[in-house]
Amino acid sequence: MRLSAYYLPTLRETPAEAQIVSHRLMLRAGMMRQSSAGIYVWLPLGLRVLRNIERIVREEQDAFGCREMLMPTIQPAELWRESGRYDAYGPEMLRIRDRHDRELLYGPTNEEQLTAVFRDTIKSYRQLPKLLYHIQWKFRDEVRPRFGVMRGREFLMKDAYSFDIDRDGAIRAYNKMFVCYLRTFERMGLRAIPMRAETGPIGGDLSHEFVVLADTGESEIAYHRDFLSLSLKNTDIDVDGDLQPIVDRYTANYAATDEQRDRGREAELGDDLIAGRGIEVGHIFYFGTKYSKPMGATVTAATGEEVAVEMGSYGIGVSRLVGAIIEASHDDAGIVWPDAVAPFQIGLINVKADDAECTAAADTVYEQLRAAGVDILYDDRAERPGVKFAEMDLIGVPYQLTVGPRGVKAGTVEWKARRSGERAELPVSAVVNLFVR
């Protein structure tokens, strides 16, 4: 993509309303603009990152046996009255009426909607288990929306739902999503710690938050230092097998958000305890028959009796992850994207766009990399070099290539790794091989 033909409205000054790092950098990097309080327009650069995160989430959900569907954003109020949550949910739910005076709501979550679909379509234990998910925009009318996409009113979320004949099956589904989440966040370059959590308005008696470590995080957390060495790399994962040992490995050590902290236990841990801050990016719940019983979602068991299905739900804040990754990965110059979610793999800078030889050399590098399938942003504008370097650092593309007059004479291009700052002069002939794997 040539930057001269792209839409990237960067800002040199930080808007006054941006209070945290991710909000400031997303506005300055031209990723989004505010439409109204807590609601944002996603601009091309921001949308590319959002789609990369969505792709990883989708690939991992599919790999663990979830089947994708799509539910409506607007739901009938009577479904929520069946479950008993319509009045209990609170003012965060946007309640509306249509022209026929029917009560509707803009869905903040989808337990009721999918339970209703399930009860109309699944009748026998032979049709179980089921894992279903969708990725959809949701709305919660936050009383004080702030911090950009970290606490907005409209947000993109992946939510999955499991249906099983008994508790044992439901716990297997819970463990499957637990491990799925670990792998999902690890693929994004994040260290996410699962922490036992309150169930809140979703309900149930088993729940974990997945919290990304970030110095600027919204929550105070404490965890055993062994979490820093845990990884799923080189771990053989049989998605249809017994995943309890992997879950046990991650839940054996102490980890707690502020409201769940056990100060006595923390005193015992001594130097093994690390206190810090984190950002919730995922939450999983097992809630048994909380929705299936009142809504009549039953199946015929092997014994012939009608039983309410055991359920769980599993959410990932897709749009929130954009902000969370920035909070966890930035420096004074701007964003530092992990490779897997970056909007472009490479930023190519032509230092002297009015120099015919420079432009010819930069164009050649650009076309060769494009032909090799590399996702590249080419700054071909007639701008001062300092502006180009600053903006490329600001938007956080993982690797930069710079073509300048001296390099053209020597037949080289300067390579820079955004994260480490490492630089090297490379022969033009070696550039394509470096980035094509």
Side-chain angles (χ1 to χ4, degrees):
M1 176 63 67
R2 289 178 179 266
L3 190 49
S4 60
Y6 200 51
Y7 181 53
L8 187 62
T10 58
L11 301 174
R12 295 187 182 179
E13 302 297 326
T14 299
E17 72 273 16
Q19 300 175 5
I20 63 171
V21 170
S22 60
H23 194 186
R24 292 197 295 267
L25 290 177
M26 288 184 74
L27 290 172
R28 288 196 55 221
M31 295 179 66
M32 68 178 191
R33 284 292 181 272
Q34 181 170 302
S35 172
S36 59
I39 300 175
Y40 296 91
V41 176
W42 288 79
L43 303 180
L45 192 79
L47 185 61
R48 289 178 74 93
V49 177
L50 190 68
R51 290 291 181 253
N52 284 339
I53 291 171
E54 186 179 340
R55 171 183 50 79
I56 292 172
V57 170
R58 179 174 283 112
E59 288 173 358
E60 292 301 322
Q61 290 290 292
D62 292 347
F64 276 78
C66 286
R67 300 294 170 248
E68 186 173 10
M69 57 187 299
L70 185 62
M71 287 178 277
T73 56
I74 304 298
Q75 302 178 28
E78 58 260 30
L79 289 181
W80 286 64
R81 287 201 170 96
E82 285 184 45
S83 71
R85 281 208 304 174
Y86 185 74
D87 295 318
Y89 200 87
E92 289 79 20
M93 184 192 295
L94 183 63
R95 296 161 170 83
I96 55 181
R97 290 178 182 266
D98 67 11
R99 68 175 64 198
H100 302 292
D101 203 35
R102 288 180 294 228
E103 292 181 283
L104 303 168
L105 58 96
Y106 194 134
T109 183
N110 285 80
E111 282 81 8
E112 285 84 358
Q113 181 73 76
L114 190 51
T115 301
V117 172
F118 177 92
R119 73 183 176 194
D120 293 337
T121 56
I122 303 294
K123 303 299 182 183
S124 169
Y125 75 97
R126 293 187 179 90
Q127 296 169 280
L128 298 179
K130 286 287 182 287
L131 265 173
L132 303 167
Y133 80 99
H134 74 156
I135 300 174
Q136 178 210 65
W137 290 96
K138 290 180 168 53
F139 187 90
R140 292 176 189 165
D141 198 5
E142 295 278 354
V143 63
R144 290 178 57 222
R146 60 194 189 280
F147 305 152
V149 299
M150 297 295 291
R151 189 168 295 175
R153 293 194 295 166
E154 186 181 59
F155 53 95
L156 187 63
M157 183 175 176
K158 185 285 303 181
D159 43 323
Y161 302 88
S162 61
F163 301 86
D164 288 273
I165 190 64
D166 55 24
R167 179 183 171 86
D168 288 346
I171 296 301
R172 281 194 296 272
Y174 187 93
N175 290 343
K176 182 178 286 191
M177 285 296 96
F178 188 105
V179 176
C180 177
Y181 276 33
L182 291 173
R183 196 162 76 174
T184 298
F185 298 130
E186 196 167 294
R187 277 189 62 186
M188 295 178 192
L190 294 171
R191 184 177 297 282
I193 296 179
M195 300 186 173
R196 190 68 181 258
E198 296 177 350
T199 57
I202 302 296
D205 59 4
L206 178 60
S207 176
H208 283 86
E209 288 182 12
F210 288 77
V211 177
V212 169
L213 303 180
D215 291 339
T216 53
E218 60 190 343
S219 303
E220 292 185 11
I221 59 174
Y223 56 94
H224 195 287
R225 66 172 58 255
D226 284 357
F227 274 109
L228 299 179
S229 62
L230 291 176
S231 172
L232 290 182
K233 289 179 181 177
N234 303 318
T235 300
D236 185 22
I237 299 174
D238 177 4
V239 298
D240 294 317
D242 181 12
L243 298 176
Q244 189 68 52
I246 297 177
V247 176
D248 289 344
R249 190 195 316 164
Y250 279 83
T251 57
N253 289 320
Y254 178 83
T257 56
D258 192 44
E259 63 275 10
Q260 297 280 322
R261 291 175 70 175
D262 181 341
R263 303 296 176 173
R265 177 74 193 285
E266 290 182 9
E268 294 173 5
L269 292 175
D271 292 341
D272 286 331
L273 182 75
I274 298 178
R277 304 195 70 83
I279 301 164
E280 180 193 341
V281 291
H283 206 155
I284 62 176
F285 303 85
Y286 161 67
F287 42 71
T289 59
K290 174 181 170 64
Y291 299 93
S292 57
K293 273 189 176 179
M295 296 186 68
T298 63
V299 297
T300 304
T303 60
E305 68 174 317
E306 289 291 309
V307 297
V309 292
E310 298 274 336
M311 294 176 56
S313 70
Y314 317 90
I316 288 179
V318 177
S319 54
R320 182 175 238 253
L321 271 164
V322 179
I325 291 170
I326 294 172
E327 293 289 335
S329 187
H330 67 273
D331 59 20
D332 291 342
I335 303 165
V336 184
W337 291 116
D339 289 16
V341 300
F344 296 94
Q345 293 173 266
I346 299 172
L348 173 63
I349 298 171
N350 180 357
V351 170
K352 203 166 184 181
D354 59 355
D355 182 295
E357 289 187 350
C358 247
T359 296
D363 285 354
T364 297
V365 172
Y366 174 61
E367 293 301 337
Q368 287 180 345
L369 287 169
R370 283 189 66 210
V374 177
D375 211 357
I376 181 169
L377 180 64
Y378 173 23
D379 193 343
D380 60 339
R381 300 172 299 167
E383 267 284 6
R384 292 181 291 109
V387 171
K388 293 186 176 187
F389 292 136
E391 289 196 353
M392 203 61 79
D393 279 348
L394 173 64
I395 65 176
V397 177
Y399 304 99
Q400 297 174 16
L401 295 174
T402 301
V403 177
R406 283 185 298 179
V408 170
K409 288 185 174 62
T412 61
V413 174
E414 183 185 75
W415 166 85
K416 173 187 170 183
R418 175 70 179 86
R419 183 172 297 277
S420 67
E422 181 185 355
R423 297 172 186 265
E425 294 289 332
L426 301 174
V428 172
S429 60
V431 169
V432 174
N433 290 335
L434 180 67
F435 291 102
V436 177
R437 297 176 174 85

